[in-house]
Amino acid sequence: MRVSRFLSKTLRQDPGEAETASHRLMLRAGMMMQMGAGIYSYLPLALRSIKKIEAIIREEIDAAGGQEVLMPALQPIEAWQQSGRDVAFGDNMFHVFDRRKREMVIAPTHEEAITLIATANVESYRDLPLLLYQIQTKFRDEPRPRAGLLRGREFTMKDAYSFDTDQEALDVTYQRMRIAYRNIFRRCGLPTLEVEADSGAIGGKDSHEFIMPAESGEDTVLVCPTGDYAANAERATSVIPPAPESAPQEMTLVDTPGAKTIADLVDSMGITEAQTLKAVFYAADKEVVLVTIRGDIEVNEVKLKNLLEVRELRLATPEESVAAGLTPGSTSPIGLTGIKRVGDKSIQQGNNFVAGANQADEHYKNVNYPRDFEVDTIAEIGTSKAGDGCPNCGAALDEVRGIEVGHVFKLGTFFTRTFGGDYLDDAGKLNPMVMGCYGIGVTRVLAAAIEQNHDDKGILYPAPIAPFQVHLVALNADKEEVSTAADATYAQLLELGYDVLYDDRLGESAGVKFNDVDLLGLPVRVVISPRNIKNGVVEVKRRRDDESAQVAAADLPATLAAALAQDEL
Ligand code: ATP
Ligand code: MG
């Protein structure tokens, strides 16, 4: 592509509205254009990368046995009413009405549609396993569209769905898909962590997320440096730091004027957070629940929600707490009845705690569980954090921020039971097919790749997903010797099969052209200039390197191949 003919123009200035590096750089580089909140047109630079990512995904999912289909975005609401997900998705799903005033939805995901396809086509175990996928536009009315393509309201997803005879067969498919995912991200040149993920209330359903480390990410993962454990913080378990233990003392009431928080107690009593118990109140589907946890540990709301098996969980308001008979600032499980009480396992590690006394300005000291108070349920509901021990080997866990680019999930039989997705087994008996589902946010991968690969001048594409592999720059292109040599090199590189962006502009300075080279971030720059021509060389520079090399024109193909190969993982 010749820059003189190219649609997109780069911006000199940073666009004001951009929130993260990828958002800012994609707008500045002219990769995309916003049309509404979370809604973008993909211009050639973005679309070329998206197509390369899609091509890698297709090859790997095909190799794993996938068959590509394409399902409608526009769907009758009845399928969603049947699964109950019209309610579960709530405001996140777009609703529209057809000319006969029939309600339709614009699908945020495709479990309903794919289950209808499998149900209509699978008869017996001979038709299984079945792996279907599509690369398609998804619509989600996200409450907070964010950071360009990272969280859009219209975005491209690869979604795959597997159908198996039973749980063991699903295990095999699931494993194959995890390997396909590892291959995809490796081939894209994007280091990605595979982590255990939350799988909802009903335990035993495996789920893994693929997280691309990046500071701007919304996910926190805990990773063992020895490589034997990685989990999303929502789900991670760990060995918590020990708390001081001594011989149990008698529980006594102490005056604590004005002390309302754990920090107040730590200051006024000269103790550590791990020597306190804190009480946190939640509204769980409207019921107030009291959680008791060691003072140095935070409640993990995902774990608590799964434990309580509720739809909605949030901190209770002071009014709700008071109405439930609690004393905010001094609440304690001691002597408290008539309310649901949950304890975190941490209250069993440590003793002689300071805890609330259910009256203002008083606390108990030397509180010991279970001697001095009861809970209805004790479970692990604490948040793991950096420095906690790895659950497998005890080594201190690291905390990494990242972006979820993929998610694989053992779905089970919910949808096949709902839509009559049975198959005949070899004994002639009907059973529901067992499903798995597997998503990759294609457009999010591109944004995450840029979050992960940029510097203060611009993008640093990994070669496999760069919109063009080579940025060919002609300096002083108005000189005939330059345009002749550069045109010839352009033709040669195209002939060799490279994607080339050729900056043939006549009026632009070397400075402007090199700034664009750095901003666009194509893996290799090749410069043709009067001086290089005089010396009988072309200049080659990897975007990631500081130094350029002067190579004889005849050596250009070999030099390019070697430079591009360096990005492969
Ligand atoms: P998130 O937690 O980020 O909202 P999710 O868990 O709802 O995502 P899934 O339903 O698992 O997402 O979708 C599969 C993949 O689609 C995700 O791993 C992510 O890469 C991508 N994705 C989800 N929502 C968006 C969005 N709003 N914009 C871009 N990509 C998205
Ligand atoms: Mg997910």
Side-chain angles (χ1 to χ4, degrees):
M1 184 74 223
R2 286 174 181 266
V3 173
S4 59
R5 305 290 318 133
F6 199 46
L7 169 75
S8 301
K9 307 277 177 280
T10 56
L11 305 177
R12 300 269 160 88
Q13 301 291 321
D14 272 339
E17 74 271 30
E19 296 161 66
T20 64
S22 67
H23 190 193
R24 175 169 57 79
L25 290 168
M26 291 181 80
L27 291 174
R28 255 192 79 190
M31 293 173 68
M32 61 181 192
M33 210 177 117
Q34 184 169 11
M35 204 173 163
I39 306 173
Y40 291 87
S41 296
Y42 309 137
L43 305 183
L45 284 171
L47 190 60
R48 293 180 69 97
S49 282
I50 290 168
K51 288 194 164 174
K52 289 190 177 179
I53 297 166
E54 290 179 359
I56 292 172
I57 292 175
R58 279 200 175 86
E59 280 181 27
E60 292 297 330
I61 306 293
D62 287 346
Q67 301 181 57
E68 187 169 356
V69 298
L70 187 58
M71 289 174 274
L74 184 64
Q75 302 186 354
I77 191 151
E78 284 75 14
W80 295 80
Q81 287 167 335
Q82 202 172 333
S83 67
R85 293 213 297 177
D86 56 333
V87 177
F89 262 95
D91 290 341
N92 273 15
M93 186 156 68
F94 287 100
H95 295 246
V96 292
F97 291 86
D98 72 7
R99 61 171 71 221
R100 297 194 172 79
K101 304 282 174 284
R102 280 192 296 239
E103 190 172 1
M104 321 272 288
V105 302
I106 313 186
T109 176
H110 281 76
E111 282 81 3
E112 282 78 0
I114 204 81
T115 310
L116 290 169
I117 293 174
T119 299
N121 289 282
V122 171
E123 285 170 9
S124 77
Y125 68 95
R126 287 189 201 88
D127 300 322
L128 300 175
L130 185 64
L131 177 65
L132 302 175
Y133 76 99
Q134 65 174 349
I135 296 179
Q136 192 252 16
T137 307
K138 296 278 183 277
F139 298 84
R140 293 184 182 180
D141 198 357
E142 297 276 356
R144 278 173 295 281
R146 174 180 170 263
L149 300 193
L150 279 183
R151 186 174 293 284
R153 294 199 296 166
E154 172 172 335
F155 60 96
T156 306
M157 195 200 286
K158 184 286 299 173
D159 43 330
Y161 306 87
S162 64
F163 297 85
D164 277 288
T165 51
D166 55 26
Q167 205 61 46
E168 289 69 47
L170 170 60
D171 290 346
V172 175
T173 303
Y174 186 78
Q175 202 52 32
R176 192 178 317 125
M177 288 302 278
R178 286 176 64 184
I179 292 167
Y181 270 46
R182 289 176 211 161
N183 291 342
I184 288 166
F185 296 117
R186 181 181 45 74
R187 286 186 54 195
C188 286
L190 301 169
T192 303
L193 294 167
E194 180 178 355
V195 311
E196 291 177 17
D198 173 53
S199 54
I202 310 133
K205 290 190 304 186
D206 279 325
S207 170
H208 289 84
E209 285 168 347
F210 289 77
I211 304 265
M212 230 172 256
E215 270 312 307
S216 55
E218 292 179 359
D219 284 271
T220 304
V221 298
L222 289 162
V223 184
C224 179
T226 69
D228 67 355
Y229 186 72
N232 193 310
E234 289 178 351
R235 126 111 196 192
T237 65
S238 59
V239 182
I240 60 171
E245 291 207 35
S246 48
Q249 312 271 312
E250 192 187 335
M251 185 170 89
T252 48
L253 203 58
V254 288
D255 288 338
T256 50
K260 286 194 180 305
T261 64
I262 295 294
D264 295 339
L265 291 175
V266 166
D267 284 349
S268 63
M269 302 181 77
I271 51 175
T272 64
E273 288 185 337
Q275 289 169 292
T276 66
L277 295 179
K278 76 183 159 199
V280 194
F281 339 116
Y282 283 94
D285 284 354
K286 304 274 145 54
E287 183 189 12
V288 174
V289 175
L290 172 71
V291 174
T292 306
I293 190 165
R294 221 171 67 187
D296 59 328
I297 297 179
E298 298 301 324
V299 177
N300 179 322
E301 294 184 3
V302 174
K303 290 183 189 171
L304 180 61
K305 194 172 170 198
N306 289 342
L307 176 77
L308 297 172
E309 293 187 23
V310 291
R311 261 191 124 75
E312 198 203 351
L313 182 82
R314 56 171 173 78
L315 287 171
T317 62
E319 294 75 37
E320 286 168 330
S321 309
V322 171
L326 302 174
T327 317
S330 258
T331 307
S332 115
I334 299 158
L336 203 67
T337 53
I339 183 169
K340 185 162 193 159
R341 297 155 306 176
V342 176
D344 178 54
K345 279 188 165 165
S346 58
I347 65 178
Q348 296 170 313
Q349 296 175 42
N351 69 351
N352 294 332
F353 293 112
V354 174
N358 290 324
Q359 44 189 309
D361 302 326
E362 305 273 10
H363 281 83
Y364 282 114
K365 63 178 204 187
N366 302 327
V367 177
N368 289 284
Y369 175 82
R371 184 191 71 182
D372 303 323
F373 68 97
E374 286 173 40
V375 294
D376 303 303
T377 313
I378 186 138
E380 191 188 313
I381 49 160
T383 304
S384 301
K385 55 181 183 305
D388 284 4
C390 168
N392 293 330
C393 72
L397 293 172
D398 291 327
E399 216 170 79
V400 179
R401 283 197 78 73
I403 299 163
E404 177 197 325
V405 287
H407 193 175
V408 297
F409 195 86
K410 287 186 184 167
L411 257 184
T413 55
F414 174 78
F415 290 97
T416 46
R417 283 182 195 278
T418 303
F419 291 99
D422 292 331
Y423 74 96
L424 277 173
D425 67 17
D426 53 3
K429 200 170 139 290
L430 282 176
N431 296 294
M433 295 179 279
V434 183
M435 286 175 70
C437 68
Y438 317 87
I440 292 181
V442 178
T443 41
R444 186 184 282 185
V445 168
L446 174 58
I450 296 173
E451 293 296 333
Q452 199 181 51
N453 297 280
H454 69 270
D455 62 16
D456 53 356
K457 298 198 190 95
I459 302 168
L460 295 150
Y461 280 108
I465 63 165
F468 298 92
Q469 295 154 299
V470 181
H471 205 143
L472 174 65
V473 181
L475 297 184
N476 298 105
D478 46 341
K479 290 203 161 71
E480 200 182 319
E481 59 189 286
V482 172
S483 63
T484 305
D487 284 357
T489 304
Y490 181 48
Q492 182 201 11
L493 295 180
L494 292 181
E495 181 73 14
L496 287 168
Y498 289 113
D499 295 327
V500 184
L501 185 65
Y502 170 25
D503 195 343
D504 60 339
R505 288 176 294 177
L506 298 180
E508 296 292 2
S509 68
V512 165
K513 291 187 174 186
F514 286 151
N515 281 345
D516 279 358
V517 165
D518 285 338
L519 174 59
L520 263 46
L522 305 178
V524 183
R525 161 185 114 179
V526 175
V527 178
I528 312 282
S529 67
R531 184 154 45 115
N532 289 340
I533 292 173
K534 201 167 88 208
N535 297 335
V537 295
V538 290
E539 190 194 305
V540 180
K541 181 180 167 297
R542 287 179 78 230
R543 172 67 174 86
R544 285 174 192 273
D545 292 345
D546 294 329
E547 299 299 319
S548 59
Q550 322 281 325
V551 302
D555 295 335
L556 180 60
T559 308
L560 266 185
L564 290 167
Q566 285 187 48
D567 281 5
E568 283 165 20
L569 289 181

Tab-separated table of all heavy atoms in Angstrom, residues 63 72 89 106 112 126 213 235 240 301 310 312 353 356 366 381 411-412 425 446 454 466 469 534:
chain	number	residue	atom	x	y	z
A	63	ALA	N	-7.808	-27.036	13.327
A	63	ALA	CA	-6.903	-28.149	13.647
A	63	ALA	C	-7.395	-28.923	14.866
A	63	ALA	O	-7.134	-30.121	15.005
A	63	ALA	CB	-5.483	-27.620	13.892
A	72	PRO	N	-27.015	-15.896	13.502
A	72	PRO	CA	-27.551	-14.535	13.406
A	72	PRO	C	-27.301	-13.719	14.668
A	72	PRO	O	-27.345	-14.243	15.778
A	72	PRO	CB	-29.054	-14.759	13.205
A	72	PRO	CG	-29.325	-16.109	13.765
A	72	PRO	CD	-28.076	-16.915	13.578
A	89	PHE	N	-29.378	-11.579	31.532
A	89	PHE	CA	-28.545	-10.570	30.872
A	89	PHE	C	-28.997	-9.151	31.194
A	89	PHE	O	-28.213	-8.212	31.134
A	89	PHE	CB	-28.504	-10.783	29.358
A	89	PHE	CG	-27.283	-11.527	28.927
A	89	PHE	CD1	-27.305	-12.892	28.762
A	89	PHE	CD2	-26.088	-10.847	28.726
A	89	PHE	CE1	-26.169	-13.582	28.392
A	89	PHE	CE2	-24.947	-11.528	28.359
A	89	PHE	CZ	-24.983	-12.900	28.197
A	106	ILE	N	-30.508	-8.478	20.074
A	106	ILE	CA	-29.265	-8.535	19.309
A	106	ILE	C	-28.297	-9.280	20.201
A	106	ILE	O	-27.949	-8.818	21.299
A	106	ILE	CB	-28.767	-7.133	18.944
A	106	ILE	CG1	-29.935	-6.317	18.379
A	106	ILE	CG2	-27.643	-7.237	17.916
A	106	ILE	CD1	-29.554	-4.971	17.846
A	112	GLU	N	-27.713	-20.241	23.080
A	112	GLU	CA	-29.068	-20.650	22.688
A	112	GLU	C	-29.073	-21.101	21.226
A	112	GLU	O	-29.544	-22.191	20.901
A	112	GLU	CB	-30.059	-19.477	22.866
A	112	GLU	CG	-30.503	-19.212	24.292
A	112	GLU	CD	-29.474	-18.462	25.132
A	112	GLU	OE1	-28.385	-18.133	24.612
A	112	GLU	OE2	-29.748	-18.217	26.321
A	126	ARG	N	-22.797	-41.390	17.593
A	126	ARG	CA	-21.918	-41.413	16.412
A	126	ARG	C	-21.662	-40.006	15.883
A	126	ARG	O	-20.689	-39.772	15.196
A	126	ARG	CB	-22.542	-42.262	15.305
A	126	ARG	CG	-22.489	-43.751	15.586
A	126	ARG	CD	-22.914	-44.565	14.375
A	126	ARG	NE	-23.327	-45.895	14.804
A	126	ARG	CZ	-24.574	-46.197	15.178
A	126	ARG	NH1	-25.520	-45.280	15.125
A	126	ARG	NH2	-24.862	-47.402	15.585
A	213	PRO	N	-0.846	-9.967	30.327
A	213	PRO	CA	-0.359	-9.022	31.325
A	213	PRO	C	-0.266	-7.608	30.741
A	213	PRO	O	0.273	-7.421	29.651
A	213	PRO	CB	1.037	-9.550	31.674
A	213	PRO	CG	0.974	-11.002	31.342
A	213	PRO	CD	0.079	-11.100	30.139
A	235	ARG	N	-10.811	-15.925	42.215
A	235	ARG	CA	-10.985	-17.330	42.538
A	235	ARG	C	-9.803	-17.905	43.314
A	235	ARG	O	-9.883	-18.974	43.906
A	235	ARG	CB	-11.199	-18.049	41.206
A	235	ARG	CG	-10.324	-19.188	40.887
A	235	ARG	CD	-11.190	-20.391	40.941
A	235	ARG	NE	-10.465	-21.640	41.006
A	235	ARG	CZ	-11.071	-22.794	40.816
A	235	ARG	NH1	-12.329	-22.832	40.531
A	235	ARG	NH2	-10.404	-23.910	40.930
A	240	ILE	N	-2.519	-17.999	53.898
A	240	ILE	CA	-2.484	-16.627	54.408
A	240	ILE	C	-1.355	-16.458	55.423
A	240	ILE	O	-0.895	-17.434	56.022
A	240	ILE	CB	-3.837	-16.209	55.025
A	240	ILE	CG1	-4.206	-17.136	56.183
A	240	ILE	CG2	-4.917	-16.175	53.969
A	240	ILE	CD1	-5.418	-16.640	56.958
A	301	GLU	N	-15.766	-11.029	47.281
A	301	GLU	CA	-17.226	-11.040	47.070
A	301	GLU	C	-17.664	-12.123	46.092
A	301	GLU	O	-18.781	-12.613	46.174
A	301	GLU	CB	-17.694	-9.649	46.628
A	301	GLU	CG	-17.484	-8.636	47.748
A	301	GLU	CD	-18.015	-7.244	47.446
A	301	GLU	OE1	-18.608	-7.053	46.369
A	301	GLU	OE2	-17.814	-6.357	48.303
A	310	VAL	N	-26.441	-16.680	45.809
A	310	VAL	CA	-27.416	-15.603	45.610
A	310	VAL	C	-27.176	-14.936	44.266
A	310	VAL	O	-26.116	-15.086	43.652
A	310	VAL	CB	-27.322	-14.530	46.734
A	310	VAL	CG1	-27.806	-15.118	48.047
A	310	VAL	CG2	-25.911	-13.966	46.870
A	312	GLU	N	-27.700	-11.456	43.790
A	312	GLU	CA	-27.140	-10.126	43.984
A	312	GLU	C	-26.455	-10.058	45.328
A	312	GLU	O	-26.987	-10.530	46.340
A	312	GLU	CB	-28.263	-9.068	43.925
A	312	GLU	CG	-27.739	-7.674	43.673
A	312	GLU	CD	-28.686	-6.564	44.155
A	312	GLU	OE1	-29.828	-6.857	44.533
A	312	GLU	OE2	-28.224	-5.415	44.163
A	353	PHE	N	-8.080	-12.400	69.764
A	353	PHE	CA	-8.366	-11.274	68.864
A	353	PHE	C	-9.064	-10.142	69.599
A	353	PHE	O	-9.702	-10.350	70.642
A	353	PHE	CB	-9.318	-11.731	67.748
A	353	PHE	CG	-8.715	-12.721	66.791
A	353	PHE	CD1	-9.173	-14.037	66.747
A	353	PHE	CD2	-7.722	-12.327	65.895
A	353	PHE	CE1	-8.643	-14.945	65.844
A	353	PHE	CE2	-7.192	-13.235	64.987
A	353	PHE	CZ	-7.649	-14.544	64.968
A	356	GLY	N	-15.436	-6.440	67.909
A	356	GLY	CA	-16.496	-5.529	68.351
A	356	GLY	C	-17.300	-6.106	69.501
A	356	GLY	O	-17.226	-7.300	69.809
A	366	ASN	N	-9.131	-10.590	73.592
A	366	ASN	CA	-8.965	-12.031	73.840
A	366	ASN	C	-10.176	-12.846	73.378
A	366	ASN	O	-10.672	-13.706	74.084
A	366	ASN	CB	-8.666	-12.305	75.320
A	366	ASN	CG	-7.424	-11.565	75.766
A	366	ASN	OD1	-6.495	-11.381	74.980
A	366	ASN	ND2	-7.415	-11.104	77.007
A	381	ILE	N	-13.429	-17.410	52.218
A	381	ILE	CA	-14.038	-16.318	51.451
A	381	ILE	C	-13.137	-15.082	51.463
A	381	ILE	O	-13.586	-13.976	51.184
A	381	ILE	CB	-15.442	-15.951	51.992
A	381	ILE	CG1	-15.386	-15.782	53.520
A	381	ILE	CG2	-16.471	-16.976	51.603
A	381	ILE	CD1	-16.533	-14.979	54.057
A	411	LEU	N	-19.505	-26.043	30.368
A	411	LEU	CA	-20.875	-25.570	30.590
A	411	LEU	C	-21.785	-26.620	31.193
A	411	LEU	O	-22.708	-26.300	31.923
A	411	LEU	CB	-21.485	-25.189	29.231
A	411	LEU	CG	-21.578	-23.734	28.858
A	411	LEU	CD1	-22.291	-23.620	27.524
A	411	LEU	CD2	-22.344	-22.952	29.902
A	412	GLY	N	-21.568	-27.884	30.818
A	412	GLY	CA	-22.465	-28.936	31.313
A	412	GLY	C	-23.704	-29.094	30.457
A	412	GLY	O	-23.650	-28.940	29.229
A	425	ASP	N	-27.474	-42.931	23.178
A	425	ASP	CA	-26.184	-43.568	23.477
A	425	ASP	C	-26.145	-44.978	22.882
A	425	ASP	O	-27.109	-45.423	22.250
A	425	ASP	CB	-25.886	-43.533	24.983
A	425	ASP	CG	-26.840	-44.387	25.800
A	425	ASP	OD1	-27.512	-45.256	25.211
A	425	ASP	OD2	-26.907	-44.175	27.026
A	446	LEU	N	-6.456	-7.354	19.818
A	446	LEU	CA	-5.668	-6.321	19.136
A	446	LEU	C	-5.343	-5.173	20.096
A	446	LEU	O	-4.194	-4.727	20.200
A	446	LEU	CB	-6.431	-5.801	17.908
A	446	LEU	CG	-5.786	-4.626	17.179
A	446	LEU	CD1	-4.373	-4.969	16.715
A	446	LEU	CD2	-6.646	-4.184	16.001
A	454	HIS	N	4.075	-1.349	23.380
A	454	HIS	CA	4.206	0.023	22.882
A	454	HIS	C	5.307	0.713	23.671
A	454	HIS	O	5.738	0.228	24.717
A	454	HIS	CB	2.883	0.782	23.031
A	454	HIS	CG	2.505	1.060	24.457
A	454	HIS	ND1	1.748	0.191	25.210
A	454	HIS	CD2	2.808	2.092	25.278
A	454	HIS	CE1	1.591	0.681	26.422
A	454	HIS	NE2	2.228	1.835	26.500
A	466	ALA	N	0.937	-7.787	12.768
A	466	ALA	CA	1.111	-6.415	12.290
A	466	ALA	C	0.303	-6.220	11.009
A	466	ALA	O	0.233	-7.121	10.178
A	466	ALA	CB	2.586	-6.146	12.030
A	469	GLN	N	4.015	-5.916	7.361
A	469	GLN	CA	5.250	-6.382	8.003
A	469	GLN	C	6.376	-5.377	7.842
A	469	GLN	O	7.264	-5.282	8.673
A	469	GLN	CB	5.668	-7.728	7.399
A	469	GLN	CG	4.686	-8.830	7.694
A	469	GLN	CD	4.732	-9.908	6.639
A	469	GLN	OE1	4.479	-9.661	5.462
A	469	GLN	NE2	5.093	-11.108	7.067
A	534	LYS	N	23.862	5.919	-2.946
A	534	LYS	CA	25.269	6.175	-3.292
A	534	LYS	C	26.186	5.081	-2.736
A	534	LYS	O	27.118	4.625	-3.389
A	534	LYS	CB	25.707	7.543	-2.748
A	534	LYS	CG	26.927	8.094	-3.470
A	534	LYS	CD	27.160	9.556	-3.158
A	534	LYS	CE	28.025	9.622	-1.914
A	534	LYS	NZ	27.837	10.826	-1.119
